[in-house]
Amino acid sequence: MTAWRDVEQAAPEFARRVRALFDAHKHKTIATLRADGSPRISGIEAAFEDGEVVLGSMPNARKGADLRRDPRFALHSATVDPVEGAEAQWPGEAKISGRVIVAGSGTGADGDRFHADITDVVHTHLDDKATTLIVEWWTPTHGLRRVERG
């Protein structure tokens, strides 16, 4: 299992930027897979606890059922638009993907709780001049990589 602490140890500055984007807003967006294989997008709260990314779902929520059936997910930070004239200040957006592991007994009166087994982490942002899009991503296998698109 790859936990958040593994990202922090391997690429601390990158992990700091990604976590700041996730911590900036309470609500995130998660993509799960429905029983027929089609995607479902839902709002979710996520937290960084003891070196792990923890996800929760209310009792009987479809996203929890999706994750128990097929643990693959993609979590997206809140998206904010760049401010016109100050595009270089845009912090970008972040994504964490992987599979969830059910925490505890699974479904309970308080809902579901999952821990993320991370397969990749992405930070998309602009360079200092706001002329080039930068995509940085980390995987347990290849570490941190970067692509610039201008």
Side-chain angles (χ1 to χ4, degrees), residues 1-115:
M1 178 176 154
T2 301
W4 183 251
R5 72 179 59 85
D6 299 313
V7 181
E8 291 177 315
Q9 290 172 356
E13 196 276 329
F14 170 76
R16 181 198 57 73
R17 286 185 279 120
V18 168
R19 181 168 177 174
L21 287 166
F22 276 102
D23 286 345
H25 300 277
K26 183 176 184 177
H27 297 103
K28 289 73 167 149
T29 304
I30 190 168
T32 59
L33 295 169
R34 300 172 192 252
D36 67 2
S38 62
R40 181 190 317 269
I41 300 293
S42 305
I44 193 166
E45 294 177 21
F48 294 84
E49 297 177 1
D50 299 321
E52 295 198 38
V53 175
V54 179
L55 308 167
S57 177
M58 294 175 66
N60 303 312
R62 298 307 325 144
K63 67 185 155 217
D66 288 348
L67 291 168
R68 285 191 311 279
R69 184 184 55 261
D70 186 326
R72 294 176 290 174
F73 76 94
L75 182 68
H76 197 287
S77 67
T79 301
V80 295
D81 291 333
V83 175
E84 190 172 334
E87 290 84 356
Q89 308 307 305
W90 179 59
E93 58 188 30
K95 296 170 232 148
I96 299 172
S97 300
R99 296 177 180 272
V100 296
I101 297 168
V102 177
S105 61
T107 304
D110 294 332
D112 298 311
R113 186 171 164 88
F114 304 97
H115 292 246

Side-chain angles (χ1 to χ4, degrees), residues 114-134:
F114 304 97
H115 292 246
D117 178 6
I118 298 169
T119 56
D120 61 277
V121 180
V122 179
H123 180 206
T124 303
H125 57 100
L126 297 172
D127 69 351
D128 292 339
K129 296 178 183 175
T131 58
T132 303
L133 182 70
I134 299 171

